[in-house]
Amino acid sequence: MTLLLFAGFVALILLRVPITMAIGLAVLSALIYAGFSDTLYIIPLQVLDGVDNPSLLAIPFFIMAGNLMNGVGMTDRIFNFASALVGHMRAGLAQVNVVSSLLFAGVSGAAVADCAGLGTIEIKAMRERGYPAPFAAALTAASAVVGPIIPPSISLVVYAFLSNTSVARLFLAGIIPGLIVGMSLMAFNYLVALKQDFPREERKSLPQIGRSAIDGIAALVAPGIILVAILTGFTTATEAGVLACVYTIALGFVYRTFSFRMLWQALTETMTITSVIMIIIGFSHVMGWLLAIEQIPQQLADQILLFTESRTVFLFLLLGFLLLVGCFVEGVPAKLILVPMLLPIIDQFGIDRIHFGLIITLALLIGIATPPMGIALYIVAEVGKVPFEKVAVAILPFLIPLIVALLMITFVPELVLFLPNLVLGPA
């Protein structure tokens, strides 16, 4: 049954069947094969059980906050603020691209939103200043990886639900790794600029930086509201998402960009995305239930411990596996399937669950920028009007700084655990 479950799922993914249908059909086939054809009512019961969790309520409000922030025009202000800060550096607009993604990560919490929201502005600006279009598109896809790492993060909320860990600790744990990813990409841009004559932007005066900062910082207060409200215990993660939505709507009135048409569009997009995520969570819960019946997580842990007792060897194997999976399956569905299976092994090796949460998040995220199936590549190719084949080739060098950052985060756990332990105390 387990073989049919995974073989069917992988085959459907390779056939480009939507992930929701792939999981559902694989589960249905496995149940029928195992003799549950007379009790298929188990599927809706397990689906409902999977989504019946109060912590998941945070997801639609974080998505809504990100959509509202796009709608009220925060992307332009964030880009202008980043340009004022680092545009004068070597490879100026390339550095602006990375800093914009770092700032926007705290607004959207999703890599796809980063590609779609900032991608159009960034690629257009870089092309106009003489940067190769494939380079601009590839950098946009690579820098979008930071989106679900820096809080607030939908991906980390899902992991907290799966691993029974603290959302607040995960949000704090994501700050330093997110900055490491950003600095790795900026260092790579600098090295590339030493060989290629990329233009620099004019250094902005202090009054100009101040004016752009007023607009930019106002846009960045929303993630601060979320983080501070959760850490102080003033609100739950869900209530913090609601506060961010209210603040963003108020900011829309200040900017005079709010409209009921924009609000309706944000609501529609939020409902669509949330529905897909919840369906995936529901079907993945059924898959997890089947794996638990077969005791697959325990068997997998036993086999790995027979193969190696070295934590370092295990972490290298884990990274290779996660990078491979990330090339074919998006982060949230992959986590829903893998986290319940891997947690017993993680616990056996004494790896902190918060640390593992950042490892699996970043490793799977690199997959969205990896050809041939990385979704970020398709998005930037579309919004930037660049042939996909050229973007797929241009992205390959950018995988080096991303993997270097992943190795640092994996083998230096203090980079992940320092802030949570400092602010909230040791777990």
Side-chain angles (χ1 to χ4, degrees):
M1 182 180 73
T2 305
L3 180 61
L4 178 63
L5 182 66
F6 283 108
F9 175 68
V10 171
L12 290 167
I13 289 294
L14 293 176
L15 291 171
R16 308 302 296 272
V17 174
I19 188 73
T20 49
M21 297 296 295
I23 297 175
L25 289 172
V27 166
L28 181 63
S29 302
L31 280 172
I32 293 173
Y33 176 80
F36 287 94
S37 54
D38 295 332
T39 55
L40 291 181
Y41 62 84
I42 291 173
I43 294 179
L45 290 177
Q46 288 294 327
V47 167
L48 291 173
D49 186 56
V51 299
D52 185 19
N53 191 301
S55 64
L56 296 178
L57 280 173
I59 294 174
F61 289 111
F62 284 160
I63 295 171
M64 181 68 179
N67 287 332
L68 286 171
M69 290 168 192
N70 276 331
V72 300
M74 287 189 178
T75 49
D76 291 325
R77 291 173 170 82
I78 289 172
F79 183 81
N80 292 335
F81 180 41
S83 182
L85 285 177
V86 298
H88 62 278
M89 296 172 62
R90 189 182 291 272
L93 279 182
Q95 309 293 26
V96 170
N97 188 312
V98 177
V99 173
S100 296
S101 293
L102 283 169
L103 297 175
F104 193 68
V107 172
S108 70
V112 172
D114 191 339
C115 289
L118 280 172
T120 306
I121 302 169
E122 292 171 338
I123 296 171
K124 180 175 181 290
M126 291 179 72
R127 291 177 86 160
E128 288 175 351
R129 293 289 287 137
Y131 288 81
F135 176 88
L139 175 58
T140 301
S143 63
V145 165
V146 79
I149 301 174
I150 291 182
S153 167
I154 298 164
S155 187
L156 291 180
V157 171
V158 171
Y159 176 79
F161 155 69
L162 292 170
S163 61
N164 195 28
T165 48
S166 163
V167 173
R169 296 190 77 87
L170 282 166
F171 278 8
L172 281 171
I175 295 174
I176 292 177
L179 294 175
I180 289 173
V181 173
M183 289 187 290
S184 298
L185 288 170
M186 292 182 74
F188 181 79
N189 286 338
Y190 181 85
L191 293 175
V192 172
L194 292 177
K195 295 185 178 181
Q196 301 190 37
D197 188 24
F198 287 151
R200 298 188 189 192
E201 304 305 299
E202 181 183 350
R203 183 185 289 271
K204 303 292 184 184
S205 65
L206 285 177
Q208 288 175 314
I209 295 175
R211 283 193 295 272
S212 63
I214 291 171
D215 271 352
I217 290 173
L220 298 172
V221 169
I225 290 173
I226 293 173
L227 199 55
V228 172
I230 294 173
L231 292 178
T232 57
F234 180 70
T235 67
T236 64
T238 302
E239 292 162 347
V242 175
L243 280 178
C245 291
V246 172
Y247 172 80
T248 307
I249 291 173
L251 207 58
F253 282 106
V254 174
Y255 290 154
R256 297 182 180 179
T257 54
F258 177 84
S259 68
F260 285 103
R261 181 179 179 181
M262 179 277 294
L263 178 62
W264 177 254
Q265 184 177 355
L267 283 168
T268 303
E269 290 177 3
T270 300
M271 287 186 288
T272 302
I273 296 170
T274 302
S275 300
V276 172
I277 291 175
M278 290 302 174
I279 291 170
I280 292 172
I281 289 174
F283 280 132
S284 298
H285 185 75
V286 185
M287 184 178 284
W289 174 74
L290 282 173
L291 294 175
I293 289 176
E294 294 287 301
Q295 296 187 328
I296 297 303
Q298 292 79 4
Q299 292 178 30
L300 185 62
D302 292 342
Q303 291 300 316
I304 289 178
L305 287 170
L306 284 175
F307 177 74
T308 180
E309 294 184 1
S310 168
R311 176 171 166 164
T312 302
V313 172
F314 167 70
L315 284 172
F316 273 116
L317 291 172
L318 178 67
L319 291 182
F321 174 67
L322 293 175
L323 288 169
L324 180 64
V325 171
C327 293
F328 299 97
V329 186
E330 291 179 47
V332 170
K335 278 185 183 177
L336 289 163
I337 296 166
L338 294 177
V339 169
M341 292 179 59
L342 293 174
L343 281 181
I345 310 170
I346 296 303
D347 293 339
Q348 288 269 13
F349 280 99
I351 299 169
D352 190 283
R353 289 192 175 195
I354 299 292
H355 182 208
F356 173 61
L358 271 296
I359 293 173
I360 190 172
T361 298
L362 180 54
L364 293 174
L365 278 171
I366 292 174
I368 72 167
T370 304
M373 297 181 68
I375 187 172
L377 302 180
Y378 288 94
I379 292 172
V380 296
E382 178 63 28
V383 300
K385 308 302 179 188
V386 185
F388 174 80
E389 295 77 14
K390 292 185 177 180
V391 179
V393 173
I395 193 67
L396 296 178
F398 288 103
L399 297 179
I400 297 172
L402 292 177
I403 292 174
V404 168
L406 175 62
L407 291 171
M408 289 176 63
I409 291 164
T410 301
F411 293 102
V412 188
E414 290 76 14
L415 294 173
V416 176
L417 301 175
F418 172 73
L419 271 183
N421 291 340
L422 177 67
V423 176
L424 301 174

